[in-house]
Amino acid sequence: MDKALYDRPLRPEPWVDRARRATYRALDPAAHPRGLSAANAVLAALIVAAVAAAVLETEPTVSRGRERIFGLLEVFFTTVFAFEFCLRFWAEAENPHLGGGWRARWRWLVSPAAIVDLLAIAPAMVMVGVAPSYLLRLFRLLRVLRLAKLGRFSRAWSLISEAIFSRRFELVLTAFVAWMVTLTSATLLYLVEGPVQPEKFGSIPRALWWAVVTLSTIGYGDVYPETLLGKILAAFTAMAGVGLIAAPTGILAAAFSDAAQRHRELEEEARRVAGDITD
Amino acid sequence: MDKALYDRPLRPEPWVDRARRATYRALDPAAHPRGLSAANAVLAALIVAAVAAAVLETEPTVSRGRERIFGLLEVFFTTVFAFEFCLRFWAEAENPHLGGGWRARWRWLVSPAAIVDLLAIAPAMVMVGVAPSYLLRLFRLLRVLRLAKLGRFSRAWSLISEAIFSRRFELVLTAFVAWMVTLTSATLLYLVEGPVQPEKFGSIPRALWWAVVTLSTIGYGDVYPETLLGKILAAFTAMAGVGLIAAPTGILAAAFSDAAQRHRELEEEARRVAGDITD
Amino acid sequence: MDKALYDRPLRPEPWVDRARRATYRALDPAAHPRGLSAANAVLAALIVAAVAAAVLETEPTVSRGRERIFGLLEVFFTTVFAFEFCLRFWAEAENPHLGGGWRARWRWLVSPAAIVDLLAIAPAMVMVGVAPSYLLRLFRLLRVLRLAKLGRFSRAWSLISEAIFSRRFELVLTAFVAWMVTLTSATLLYLVEGPVQPEKFGSIPRALWWAVVTLSTIGYGDVYPETLLGKILAAFTAMAGVGLIAAPTGILAAAFSDAAQRHRELEEEARRVAGDITD
Amino acid sequence: MDKALYDRPLRPEPWVDRARRATYRALDPAAHPRGLSAANAVLAALIVAAVAAAVLETEPTVSRGRERIFGLLEVFFTTVFAFEFCLRFWAEAENPHLGGGWRARWRWLVSPAAIVDLLAIAPAMVMVGVAPSYLLRLFRLLRVLRLAKLGRFSRAWSLISEAIFSRRFELVLTAFVAWMVTLTSATLLYLVEGPVQPEKFGSIPRALWWAVVTLSTIGYGDVYPETLLGKILAAFTAMAGVGLIAAPTGILAAAFSDAAQRHRELEEEARRVAGDITD
């Protein structure tokens, strides 16, 4: 009963406060630990649509003769996102992590999330065609990252980042060895194939393009050795490529396995501690 | 002795009932927990043959002049599968999981398995050449899935689906990051290569085709960068591609390892519990 | 002292018996649990050289004008392997696993290893140019497998085969799903690209070639979609290809991890049991 | 206090000794267990720059007309590295692992690290243009390996080498099976495609090039089967390729997981032992 008294103000709360709180809950993904609020679901769909429009606008066969439609779409998306930005600024006063009130608003305004949001509405605001404006519009894709703050994704993020971080030295070493192998095979192929195909293997930087395309097992087919010795060296490079892909995969697999086990153990301990308290 | 009395009816069972029960046992894969009944082995072979016939029929050098043979094959397969469908409908009355009798038959008729079976005999029944009929015939391949109900495969299914399900958020995040990388590299290559190769990099959607083919390490070779900066960016994309393949592989490896361990622990506990009861 | 008496015959052993025993020890890889006997090392090198000669003989730019050299090499290799075969037949009488004496010789003669050895000397013996004789000579490569009987490799074989066998159902299911995806994407591309590229996508079997080359991420570049819809479908196929490669890799990684742990546990138990006995 | 007395000599240490000690600490990566000394950071950057210059010099469009700049750069890099070599030789007298004094200097001079350092300054010293001098300059890349002696990387090296070493037999077996599959598919494609494409499949060595490019999933597209049977065999080869990449990845993943666990256990034991001593 005491708790209820403390929570509920004695005077009825003004409707503005209630609206602001509801707005904050609707817009902040962390406020919905288990799911996605309706407002955020609509916003996510709008962001994807805005990015798709910016992507499609660059394709002449789509945009030619439809400049007006894309212009209107842009105005629409910018208006919605600008309105959302203002709402979020207003509602951020309810954010308990930033202190609340105007202080919370200003602190939010200088956060990376808010800057990304501001950049996302900037292009159409600036209206000056200096830089390719679709580039700025693609920044909107970054806004989808906001969804990653959702409770269900935060564990996944921490698992992945923990796994990669715990093996950063192994991964850096593997990348280093990979570059040594790339440079070595490029140098060898330059020596062997250079005189025969000067356009494609006439220098180490040119042979590096072949080495990267081969070791990543992409193999476009624009460059490949033609001499016998070049093919033998390329065969060894190909085998090294399999190993260079297998090693980081194996390291990451082991790291993910460890991180998942650690998470499970922490959860079990948390549950046991909670059980001890309950008992 | 009591058990035997209970199982065997006092009056001799009519032959129809015995035949229906035998048919049910022959056709239901779950009834043979350890192996594949002869009837189901023959049916699986017929399904594969029917799919192969539908596939081969689309190849003009094979089907030209052999339309009659393919037509007869189709009539044969449809007749066999229609007969099997009727038998199964009749025998489904013995299915203890669906309640038995006509009730089981109707419940089976609206199950996905029965609808797939019905679709598999539909094409030749309809006989009207509205849609490409071989498309419907390919549905027969789905019928092979029925074999997956076999006891020995059910554990494999549950292991695989459990592993993928337990890491669904990690896999979705990886896919999300993969799409961010794809879109970013497509945008960069569009900016760099677009003016040089307008046909291939002249818009972001066109550059996306290159990005997908590169990041999945397929590398058809129909599109590749030609400028120096484009090649440098493509080399970084190639390295990102190796990471984007390594991450889900590592996540799945760890998940399969966990799922297999959980299965083993459950089996051991089941065996221990069984041992306690026996003692 | 009793043991020494029992081991050493009272009369001095005839030199033939000693030679036979030494020959058996020199030729049987299992007799040298830790390393490779000198005779087997030489034979392994000869097998590799014989295979290399058979491979090089098919290359016209190498073999033209050198038919005599290759013929002499062939006579040399066959003589050596025939001599080795006779020696092995004679020495096999010492094999304790086959019972010893003539009985062991005949049992060895019908074993797969002996048949492979016989096939390896057959080509030059037959001398009739019915089939391409180099094909039979390549069988010699199989003889290198004999080295796998070495103690240090037997554990590796059992680890690999145990890991693959323990997940055979998961791997078969993955292969099955892979074929479903292959056939589905081939059918879709046949429908979409067939009218545009009838030579390459004009039938499902032709589209299957594209699907296999794409899903295995090889991407020769001889076949690729050209329509927009075809490229979109191919992009999804490419993503599926990444998953279809990640799944078996993950399953095998988990299986190798389990198998290695089981081996370690067995070794520890064996050591503990041995320790108990010693105490 | 006693300790301070023991450490600090009674007479003030001459400045030469102090300078030598400081130089040794600045140049030896192992002397900075946690980070990279400023001198080593600068040297690492210089090595990378020297290698980049040697690589770029081979590209005619970059080096033409800039021979003087590259020559000056070479003189600069060689001077710095020669000065560093002399400093290191002088300071190595402080190396406690090699005994100290002149003895340590001579022992260091014949170590592989010193020989690599000497080779790195040799090219410009020799000044005779017998061999392509950039090749010797590329040796400088090996000097970056010195950084691997850093404390934070030594654990990563031992983890990776331990993982690969513990499964060397499994990896050798996989490589052996891979070569058997490569040779078998090359032989089959030679038989099937040889008569149709004599230029590309006319001998087993030529078909081997195709087999390596296919099994490593590179797929340049310069060689691919054209007959139906050839394509069917290539499809099976492609599937084998997926398995041949999955197997070593799985083996390495399990090995990395084991090695990481062993490291953790050793660390915990070391901590427990240290705790026992402290208590």
Side-chain angles (χ1 to χ4, degrees):
Chain A
M1 240 180 102
D2 278 346
K3 201 160 161 288
L5 266 176
Y6 186 81
D7 269 16
R8 209 192 298 160
L10 295 177
R11 273 191 311 165
E13 197 179 17
W15 69 267
V16 183
D17 290 16
R18 264 180 293 147
R20 200 170 51 215
R21 187 173 298 171
T23 308
Y24 176 69
R25 280 203 185 134
L27 289 177
D28 193 85
H32 272 250
R34 284 276 138 203
L36 193 60
S37 72
N40 270 319
V42 168
L43 276 170
L46 281 173
I47 291 164
V48 170
V51 168
V55 164
L56 283 175
E57 201 180 347
T58 65
E59 171 63 44
T61 59
V62 171
S63 62
R64 198 172 300 134
R66 295 197 189 80
E67 284 84 1
R68 218 185 131 78
I69 302 173
F70 280 101
L72 285 173
L73 269 175
E74 192 48 31
V75 170
F76 167 70
F77 287 128
T78 311
T79 314
V80 170
F81 293 145
F83 182 66
E84 179 222 348
F85 185 83
C86 297
L87 262 184
R88 205 177 281 267
F89 178 73
W90 171 65
E92 210 60 31
E94 299 289 331
N95 191 336
H97 304 294
L98 298 177
W102 278 97
R103 203 190 149 127
R105 278 176 187 145
W106 293 123
R107 287 170 86 176
W108 173 79
L109 208 59
V110 295
S111 71
I115 290 163
V116 165
D117 284 11
L118 204 57
L119 277 172
I121 52 174
M125 296 255 158
V126 180
M127 275 298 177
V128 207
V130 186
S133 66
Y134 72 88
L135 205 66
L136 281 167
R137 277 181 231 147
L138 283 180
F139 265 100
R140 281 170 182 161
L141 195 65
L142 284 176
R143 305 187 68 217
V144 185
L145 277 177
R146 197 191 296 139
L147 295 179
K149 282 195 275 179
L150 277 173
R152 50 170 70 170
F153 280 111
S154 67
R155 193 180 164 277
W157 269 127
S158 73
L159 190 88
I160 290 176
S161 59
E162 198 181 312
I164 292 172
F165 185 78
S166 73
R167 305 293 159 92
R168 61 196 178 286
F169 294 125
E170 281 87 353
L171 292 171
V172 165
L173 267 184
T174 313
F176 180 68
V177 170
W179 267 109
M180 298 274 284
V181 171
T182 308
L183 194 54
T184 306
S185 55
T187 306
L188 290 173
L189 265 282
Y190 157 63
L191 287 173
V192 170
E193 290 282 326
V196 183
Q197 305 187 68
E199 269 304 305
K200 294 171 175 172
F201 289 97
S203 72
I204 298 183
R206 287 175 199 199
L208 270 173
W209 172 243
W210 166 82
V212 166
V213 168
T214 297
L215 282 166
S216 60
T217 78
I218 291 173
Y220 287 127
D222 56 336
V223 203
Y224 48 83
E226 283 173 0
T227 66
L228 177 66
L229 192 55
K231 286 186 175 181
I232 292 172
L233 290 170
F236 282 101
T237 306
M239 279 181 284
V242 171
L244 290 180
I245 289 176
T249 309
I251 291 170
L252 281 179
F256 283 122
S257 187
D258 287 2
Q261 206 183 329
R262 225 171 307 138
H263 272 237
R264 255 199 317 281
E265 278 167 14
L266 285 175
E267 266 168 29
E268 258 169 44
E269 204 172 293
R271 216 175 300 136
R272 216 177 47 231
V273 168
D276 285 357
I277 292 169
T278 319
D279 289 346
Chain B
M1 243 182 100
D2 279 345
K3 203 162 161 284
L5 266 176
Y6 186 80
D7 270 16
R8 209 193 297 160
L10 294 177
R11 272 191 312 165
E13 200 179 16
W15 68 269
V16 182
D17 289 18
R18 264 178 295 148
R20 199 170 51 214
R21 189 173 297 171
T23 308
Y24 176 70
R25 279 200 187 137
L27 290 176
D28 194 86
H32 271 249
R34 284 275 139 201
L36 193 60
S37 71
N40 270 319
V42 168
L43 276 170
L46 280 173
I47 291 164
V48 169
V51 168
V55 163
L56 284 175
E57 202 180 346
T58 65
E59 172 63 44
T61 58
V62 170
S63 62
R64 200 172 300 133
R66 296 198 189 80
E67 284 83 1
R68 219 185 129 77
I69 302 173
F70 280 101
L72 284 173
L73 271 175
E74 192 49 31
V75 169
F76 167 69
F77 287 128
T78 311
T79 313
V80 170
F81 293 145
F83 182 66
E84 180 223 347
F85 186 82
C86 296
L87 261 184
R88 205 177 281 268
F89 178 72
W90 172 64
E92 210 60 32
E94 299 290 330
N95 191 337
H97 303 294
L98 298 177
W102 278 97
R103 202 186 149 128
R105 279 176 186 145
W106 294 123
R107 286 168 88 175
W108 173 77
L109 207 59
V110 295
S111 71
I115 290 163
V116 165
D117 283 11
L118 204 57
L119 278 172
I121 52 174
M125 296 256 157
V126 179
M127 277 296 178
V128 207
V130 185
S133 65
Y134 72 88
L135 206 66
L136 281 167
R137 278 181 231 147
L138 284 179
F139 265 101
R140 282 171 183 161
L141 196 65
L142 284 176
R143 304 187 67 216
V144 185
L145 277 176
R146 198 191 295 140
L147 295 180
K149 281 195 276 180
L150 277 173
R152 51 170 69 171
F153 280 111
S154 67
R155 192 178 164 278
W157 268 128
S158 74
L159 189 89
I160 291 176
S161 60
E162 197 180 314
I164 293 173
F165 186 78
S166 73
R167 305 291 160 91
R168 61 197 178 286
F169 294 126
E170 280 88 353
L171 292 171
V172 165
L173 268 184
T174 313
F176 180 67
V177 170
W179 269 109
M180 299 274 284
V181 171
T182 308
L183 194 54
T184 306
S185 55
T187 306
L188 290 173
L189 266 281
Y190 157 64
L191 288 173
V192 170
E193 290 283 325
V196 183
Q197 306 187 68
E199 269 305 304
K200 293 171 174 173
F201 289 96
S203 71
I204 298 184
R206 288 175 199 199
L208 270 173
W209 171 243
W210 166 83
V212 166
V213 168
T214 298
L215 282 165
S216 59
T217 78
I218 291 175
Y220 287 126
D222 57 335
V223 203
Y224 49 83
E226 283 173 358
T227 66
L228 177 65
L229 192 56
K231 285 186 176 181
I232 292 171
L233 289 171
F236 283 102
T237 306
M239 279 180 285
V242 171
L244 289 180
I245 287 177
T249 308
I251 290 171
L252 281 180
F256 283 122
S257 187
D258 287 3
Q261 206 184 329
R262 224 170 308 138
H263 273 237
R264 256 200 316 281
E265 278 167 12
L266 284 176
E267 266 168 29
E268 260 170 42
E269 204 173 294
R271 215 175 302 136
R272 218 178 45 232
V273 167
D276 285 0
I277 290 169
T278 317
D279 290 345
Chain C
M1 244 180 95
D2 279 347
K3 205 165 161 283
L5 266 176
Y6 187 80
D7 268 17
R8 209 191 300 159
L10 295 175
R11 274 189 310 166
E13 199 178 18
W15 69 267
V16 183
D17 289 17
R18 263 180 293 147
R20 200 170 50 213
R21 189 173 296 171
T23 310
Y24 176 70
R25 279 204 187 134
L27 289 176
D28 194 87
H32 272 249
R34 284 276 138 201
L36 193 59
S37 72
N40 270 318
V42 169
L43 276 170
L46 281 174
I47 291 165
V48 169
V51 168
V55 163
L56 284 175
E57 202 181 346
T58 64
E59 172 63 46
T61 59
V62 171
S63 62
R64 200 172 299 135
R66 296 197 190 80
E67 285 84 1
R68 218 184 129 78
I69 303 173
F70 279 102
L72 284 174
L73 271 175
E74 192 48 31
V75 169
F76 167 69
F77 287 130
T78 311
T79 313
V80 171
F81 292 147
F83 182 65
E84 178 222 348
F85 185 83
C86 296
L87 262 184
R88 203 177 281 270
F89 177 72
W90 171 64
E92 209 61 33
E94 298 290 331
N95 191 336
H97 303 295
L98 297 178
W102 278 97
R103 202 188 149 128
R105 280 177 186 143
W106 294 123
R107 285 168 88 175
W108 172 77
L109 208 61
V110 295
S111 71
I115 290 164
V116 165
D117 283 12
L118 203 58
L119 278 173
I121 52 173
M125 296 257 159
V126 179
M127 277 294 178
V128 208
V130 187
S133 66
Y134 72 88
L135 205 67
L136 281 167
R137 278 180 231 147
L138 284 178
F139 265 100
R140 283 171 182 161
L141 196 65
L142 285 176
R143 303 188 68 216
V144 185
L145 278 176
R146 198 192 295 140
L147 296 179
K149 281 196 276 179
L150 279 172
R152 52 170 67 170
F153 279 111
S154 68
R155 193 177 164 277
W157 269 127
S158 74
L159 189 89
I160 290 177
S161 59
E162 198 180 313
I164 292 173
F165 186 77
S166 73
R167 303 292 159 92
R168 60 196 180 285
F169 295 125
E170 282 88 353
L171 292 171
V172 165
L173 267 184
T174 314
F176 180 67
V177 170
W179 268 109
M180 299 275 284
V181 171
T182 308
L183 194 54
T184 306
S185 55
T187 305
L188 290 173
L189 266 281
Y190 158 64
L191 288 173
V192 170
E193 289 283 325
V196 183
Q197 305 188 69
E199 268 306 304
K200 293 171 176 173
F201 290 96
S203 71
I204 298 183
R206 288 175 197 200
L208 270 173
W209 172 243
W210 166 84
V212 166
V213 168
T214 298
L215 283 165
S216 59
T217 78
I218 291 174
Y220 288 125
D222 57 335
V223 204
Y224 48 83
E226 283 173 357
T227 66
L228 177 65
L229 192 55
K231 285 185 176 183
I232 292 172
L233 289 171
F236 282 101
T237 305
M239 280 181 284
V242 171
L244 289 181
I245 288 175
T249 307
I251 290 171
L252 281 180
F256 284 122
S257 186
D258 287 3
Q261 207 184 329
R262 227 171 306 139
H263 273 237
R264 258 199 317 280
E265 278 167 14
L266 284 176
E267 267 168 29
E268 261 169 41
E269 207 173 291
R271 217 176 300 138
R272 218 179 46 230
V273 167
D276 285 358
I277 290 169
T278 318
D279 291 345
Chain D
M1 241 181 99
D2 278 346
K3 203 163 160 286
L5 267 176
Y6 185 81
D7 269 354
R8 211 191 296 160
L10 295 176
R11 274 190 311 165
E13 197 179 19
W15 68 267
V16 183
D17 291 16
R18 262 181 293 147
R20 201 171 49 214
R21 188 173 297 171
T23 309
Y24 176 70
R25 279 206 186 131
L27 289 177
D28 194 86
H32 272 250
R34 284 276 137 204
L36 193 59
S37 72
N40 271 318
V42 168
L43 276 169
L46 280 174
I47 291 166
V48 169
V51 168
V55 163
L56 283 175
E57 202 181 346
T58 65
E59 172 63 44
T61 59
V62 172
S63 61
R64 199 172 298 137
R66 295 197 190 81
E67 285 83 2
R68 220 183 129 76
I69 302 173
F70 279 102
L72 285 173
L73 269 175
E74 193 48 30
V75 170
F76 167 69
F77 287 129
T78 310
T79 313
V80 170
F81 293 146
F83 181 67
E84 180 223 347
F85 186 82
C86 297
L87 261 183
R88 204 178 281 269
F89 177 72
W90 171 65
E92 208 61 32
E94 299 289 332
N95 191 337
H97 302 295
L98 298 177
W102 278 97
R103 202 188 149 128
R105 277 178 187 143
W106 294 121
R107 286 169 88 176
W108 172 77
L109 208 60
V110 296
S111 70
I115 290 163
V116 165
D117 283 12
L118 203 59
L119 278 172
I121 52 174
M125 296 257 158
V126 180
M127 275 296 177
V128 207
V130 187
S133 66
Y134 72 89
L135 204 66
L136 281 168
R137 278 181 230 146
L138 284 179
F139 265 99
R140 283 170 181 160
L141 195 65
L142 284 176
R143 304 186 68 217
V144 186
L145 277 176
R146 198 192 295 139
L147 296 179
K149 282 196 275 179
L150 277 173
R152 51 171 69 169
F153 280 112
S154 67
R155 192 179 164 276
W157 269 126
S158 73
L159 189 88
I160 290 178
S161 59
E162 197 181 313
I164 292 172
F165 185 78
S166 73
R167 304 292 160 92
R168 62 196 178 286
F169 294 125
E170 282 87 353
L171 292 171
V172 165
L173 267 184
T174 313
F176 181 67
V177 170
W179 268 108
M180 299 274 284
V181 171
T182 308
L183 194 54
T184 305
S185 55
T187 306
L188 290 173
L189 265 281
Y190 157 63
L191 287 174
V192 170
E193 290 282 326
V196 182
Q197 305 188 70
E199 268 306 305
K200 293 171 176 172
F201 289 96
S203 71
I204 298 183
R206 289 175 198 199
L208 270 174
W209 172 244
W210 166 83
V212 166
V213 168
T214 298
L215 282 166
S216 60
T217 78
I218 292 173
Y220 287 126
D222 57 336
V223 204
Y224 48 84
E226 283 174 357
T227 65
L228 178 65
L229 191 55
K231 286 186 175 181
I232 292 172
L233 290 171
F236 282 101
T237 305
M239 280 181 284
V242 171
L244 290 180
I245 288 175
T249 308
I251 290 171
L252 281 178
F256 284 122
S257 186
D258 287 2
Q261 208 184 328
R262 227 170 308 140
H263 273 238
R264 256 199 317 280
E265 279 166 14
L266 285 175
E267 268 169 27
E268 260 169 42
E269 205 171 292
R271 216 175 300 136
R272 218 178 45 230
V273 168
D276 285 359
I277 291 168
T278 319
D279 290 347

